[in-house]
């Protein structure tokens, strides 16, 4: 069995969550000893598509013509497309129609969470759909491997309380609430790692990126080693996202044993439990209250229970799950 992992415009999505997920797939298949190629001109038995551009659509059609099975990875939904880029809300219904057309080309559909699966089922998709996490590379995101570079790089003192956020510069990620929290709590330092082409950044986001708050920093895109160091040295990670199909940064925080607060939204319901393995907040006021309680040690740390969640989504387990899907779609067990 050989799999084509196909991703058009890979360089464009490399710094986004989809880009991380694709890198995880490659590592997952290696760990499960599944042969794969990135070259569409190679020979393969299954194509695993990650995006929904015209090249992917026509490759799926070609594979059907040749009798090659198609697995479509549904990373995106209309819901997580909204509140993203300039005009995203206006074109969201058209976007849903298009991705549904693409996903219908799959003999089998993979999506990261049960929540995302329910959304797709409501789109009228009839193919088998299974929820498989994008996974976390515990060999990389390990506290023991984190370099002490974050605080030194950005000039933070040992006693500075530092709160980190991660995500694209889009409203859906909760960046407006992050900035509001920094405004309300000048005694803490806030750092948001992320980026986005300024040409597609809405005016309201561009405005907050230029706001003058001495305790707020937007360093832009950084390499994974810096994210690892930041989650290791920060006092708290917050994820005020309003919509996700999974949320890889939440897994990274769990893996790095970083205290964390995430938005209380449905995508997290099945795998992250408030007060058990992470803390959740419903709005800005709730985030503010819980941030102060965690920093002041009025709430117990949940990092050990959070780490168990990361272990359950280890990339090695993801590899075995992907292998099972390929075998199922081929109806052939590999030796």
């Amino acid at each position: 069995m050989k799999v084509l992992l196909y991703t058009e415009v890979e360089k464009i999505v490399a710094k986004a969550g989809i880009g991380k997920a694709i890198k995880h797939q490659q590592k997952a298949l290696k760990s499960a000893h599944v042969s794969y190629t990135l070259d569409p001109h190679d020979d393969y038995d299954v194509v695993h598509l990650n995006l929904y551009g015209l090249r992917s659509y026509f490759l799926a059609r070609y594979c059907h013509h040749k009798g090659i099975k198609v697995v479509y990875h549904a990373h995106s939904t209309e819901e997580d497309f909204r509140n993203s880029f300039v005009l995203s809300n206006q074109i969201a219904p058209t976007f849903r129609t298009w991705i549904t057309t693409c996903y219908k080309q799959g003999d089998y559909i993979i999506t990261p969470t049960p929540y995302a699966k329910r959304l797709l089922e409501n789109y009228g998709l009839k193919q088998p759909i299974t929820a498989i996490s994008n996974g976390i590379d515990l060999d990389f995101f390990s506290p023991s491997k984190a370099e002490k570079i974050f605080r030194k790089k950005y000039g933070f003192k040992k006693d500075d309380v530092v709160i980190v956020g991660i995500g694209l510069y889009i409203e859906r990620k909760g960046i407006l609430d992050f900035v509001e929290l920094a405004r309300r709590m000048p005694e803490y330092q806030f750092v948001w790692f992320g980026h986005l082409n300024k040409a597609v950044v809405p005016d309201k986001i561009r405005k907050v990126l230029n706001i003058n708050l001495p305790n707020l920093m937007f360093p832009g895109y950084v390499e994974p080693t810096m994210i690892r160091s930041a989650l290791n040295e920060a006092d708290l990670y917050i994820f005020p996202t309003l919509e996700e199909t999974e949320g890889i940064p939440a897994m990274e925080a769990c893996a790095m044993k970083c205290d964390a607060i995430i938005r209380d939204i449905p995508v997290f319901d099945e795998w992250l439990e408030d007060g058990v393995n992470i803390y959740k907040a419903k709005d800005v006021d709730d985030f503010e209250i819980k941030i102060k309680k965690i920093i002041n040690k009025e709430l117990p740390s949940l990092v050990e229970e959070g780490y168990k969640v990361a272990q359950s989504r280890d990339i090695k387990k993801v590899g075995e799950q992907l292998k099972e899907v390929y075998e199922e779609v081929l109806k052939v067990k590999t030796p």
Side-chain angles (χ1 to χ4, degrees), residues 64-333:
H64 284 309
H65 178 71
K66 292 292 185 179
I68 298 170
K69 296 296 184 179
V70 177
V71 173
Y72 226 116
H73 211 125
H75 295 285
S76 299
T77 64
E78 177 190 358
E79 288 75 6
D80 80 346
F81 183 77
R82 289 183 175 275
N83 297 312
S84 297
F85 314 106
V86 173
L87 299 178
S88 62
N89 288 0
Q90 289 89 330
I91 65 175
T94 302
F95 177 77
R96 171 172 167 163
T97 299
W98 172 246
I99 62 173
T100 302
T101 299
C102 291
Y103 294 160
K104 283 181 177 178
Q105 299 300 312
D107 296 294
Y108 207 106
I109 297 172
I110 297 172
T111 199
T113 56
Y115 167 74
K117 178 182 177 180
R118 291 193 295 272
L119 292 179
L120 294 173
E121 289 170 342
N122 289 334
Y123 291 4
L125 295 165
K126 303 301 182 184
Q127 301 95 319
I129 304 175
T130 190
I132 298 178
S133 171
N134 287 313
I136 181 73
D137 185 356
L138 292 180
D139 290 335
F140 180 85
F141 281 98
S142 168
S144 65
K145 294 183 179 179
E147 305 90 334
K148 299 291 185 181
I149 57 176
F150 168 65
R151 284 181 177 261
K152 182 177 180 180
K153 168 74 174 178
Y154 298 107
F156 296 125
K157 300 174 183 176
K158 185 177 181 180
D159 58 350
D160 284 337
V161 174
V162 183
I163 297 169
V164 169
I166 303 168
L168 296 175
Y169 294 156
I170 56 180
E171 184 176 355
R172 174 176 64 81
K173 291 293 183 180
I175 192 170
L176 298 179
D177 285 352
F178 190 87
V179 172
E180 174 61 16
L181 288 166
R183 187 190 65 78
R184 292 187 184 190
M185 293 182 280
E187 68 272 28
Y188 303 147
Q189 302 296 318
F190 287 77
V191 182
W192 182 284
F193 291 112
H195 78 109
L196 196 65
N197 187 317
K198 291 184 178 180
V200 297
V201 175
D203 288 340
K204 66 172 72 175
I205 302 300
R206 191 177 291 112
K207 183 177 180 180
V208 299
L209 292 175
N210 293 322
I211 196 169
N212 184 22
L213 288 176
N215 66 323
L216 176 63
M217 187 181 300
F218 292 105
Y221 173 80
V222 295
E223 293 299 324
T225 50
M226 181 58 76
I227 296 295
R228 181 174 63 184
S229 178
L231 292 173
N232 186 57
E233 294 189 75
D235 296 278
L236 183 64
Y237 165 75
I238 65 171
F239 198 19
T241 181
L242 296 161
E243 180 69 30
E244 296 288 328
T245 53
E246 184 172 34
I248 290 176
M251 284 187 284
E252 293 172 347
C254 288
M256 292 303 297
K257 298 186 177 182
C258 181
D259 285 305
I261 309 173
I262 61 175
R263 177 88 66 176
D264 189 0
I265 54 176
V267 69
F268 298 127
D269 286 349
E270 285 94 351
W271 58 290
L272 290 168
E273 188 174 351
D274 185 30
V276 175
N277 46 38
I278 207 159
Y279 287 106
K280 296 182 179 182
K282 296 183 181 300
D283 52 30
V284 175
D285 291 340
D286 203 9
F287 269 104
E288 182 180 8
I289 291 168
K290 289 187 175 178
I291 286 171
K292 290 179 178 179
K293 285 186 175 181
I294 290 174
I295 298 302
N296 294 326
K297 310 298 183 184
E298 296 172 15
L299 288 173
S301 177
L302 303 174
V303 297
E304 295 301 329
E305 291 301 314
Y307 186 71
K308 292 177 183 178
V309 174
Q311 287 179 309
S312 73
R313 282 167 152 70
D314 186 2
I315 212 165
K316 298 180 179 65
K317 295 181 180 179
V318 171
E320 292 300 327
Q321 292 172 310
L322 292 175
K323 182 179 180 181
E324 289 176 6
V325 167
Y326 303 145
E327 291 174 340
E328 173 66 21
V329 81
L330 288 171
K331 297 295 183 183
V332 175
K333 293 291 182 182

